[in-house]
Amino acid sequence: MAIEAAKIVIKMFPDETAIGVWEFARKLQGGADQRRLVGLGSITEPDSGQEIRRTSLFRIADGIKAFPGRASSLYDSILAGFRDVSKDYDPLMSNSLLLLTAGEDDGRGVSRAELVKALRAEWDPERPVQIIVVAFGTGADRNALNEIVSVTNGQLYVAEQPGQIIDVFLSALARRLCHPTCPGSAG
């Protein structure tokens, strides 16, 4: 259901959307914990080769798989993604980091306190980047994730049941279209 919901959302992104996709889990490839799948850029243009990003997103969605039993440094990934989006900030866009996750950090990287401290130091109200987290399942650490997204005026969405996934994706998409300073609410 999550893959089908993601495809619905991909269809809804306006042509003006700039997007990139990364995956994260411990030791994905060559020991790296994060891997870029599609570089940040226009959804209607190719990242490389002939395939436009929107087509790449559909192909990636079809190939999404969970990594059962494999830990991930969620907090390291959030910080790396936030820094990447901040580096490529576009004042004409709603700049957001949208993270899809089970919502638990493995405790082997940056701590939650260190992440929050770094986000507070680096978040720039003149160049705001929102962190939007979509967590799947009942294991998401809501308190931690709410603290993290609140630093950037972002939002947490949790889909505990498969039937909630499409509603959560649509809410997250609507939030992405909102101005970075719109008020948040607990997810």
Side-chain angles (χ1 to χ4, degrees):
M1 286 189 87
I3 291 168
E4 292 309 310
K7 288 179 178 180
I8 289 169
V9 172
I10 292 167
K11 288 178 187 175
M12 296 177 74
F13 281 125
D15 287 346
E16 298 77 30
T17 300
I19 195 165
V21 178
W22 289 66
E23 68 178 341
F24 64 97
R26 284 279 176 219
K27 299 180 182 169
L28 276 172
Q29 188 176 29
D33 295 337
Q34 295 105 16
R35 179 173 60 154
R36 184 183 79 176
L37 300 176
V38 177
L40 186 60
S42 171
I43 199 167
T44 61
E45 295 175 4
D47 179 28
S48 60
Q50 298 296 313
E51 184 177 71
I52 65 169
R53 282 181 180 82
R54 190 182 309 268
T55 303
S56 297
L57 294 174
F58 282 114
R59 181 179 44 76
I60 289 166
D62 282 333
I64 288 176
K65 61 182 184 275
F67 297 104
R70 186 183 287 179
S72 68
S73 181
L74 176 60
Y75 301 158
D76 285 347
S77 297
I78 290 171
L79 187 56
F82 176 81
R83 287 176 172 163
D84 198 52
V85 174
S86 295
K87 175 182 59 95
D88 293 328
Y89 183 84
D90 184 342
L92 301 177
M93 297 285 190
S94 173
N95 294 260
S96 304
L97 170 65
L98 174 61
L99 192 79
L100 310 178
T101 179
E104 291 182 283
D105 183 75
D106 67 8
R108 293 193 265 171
V110 64
S111 72
R112 177 171 106 188
E114 291 168 327
L115 171 60
V116 169
K117 181 178 179 181
L119 291 173
R120 283 190 177 125
E122 296 176 29
W123 191 79
D124 181 353
E126 299 297 319
R127 297 170 50 100
V129 172
Q130 290 181 10
I131 296 175
I132 302 169
V133 175
V134 177
F136 299 103
T138 58
D141 186 342
R142 288 177 181 246
N143 290 333
L145 294 171
N146 270 319
E147 179 183 17
I148 291 162
V149 300
S150 70
V151 173
T152 66
N153 294 323
Q155 186 70 42
L156 168 63
Y157 299 93
V158 179
E160 292 181 353
Q161 303 296 322
Q164 297 173 315
I165 292 172
I166 290 177
D167 289 341
V168 163
F169 266 116
L170 293 176
S171 294
L173 175 61
R175 176 67 182 188
R176 191 205 72 73
L177 298 174
C178 181
H179 188 272
T181 57
C182 49
S185 61

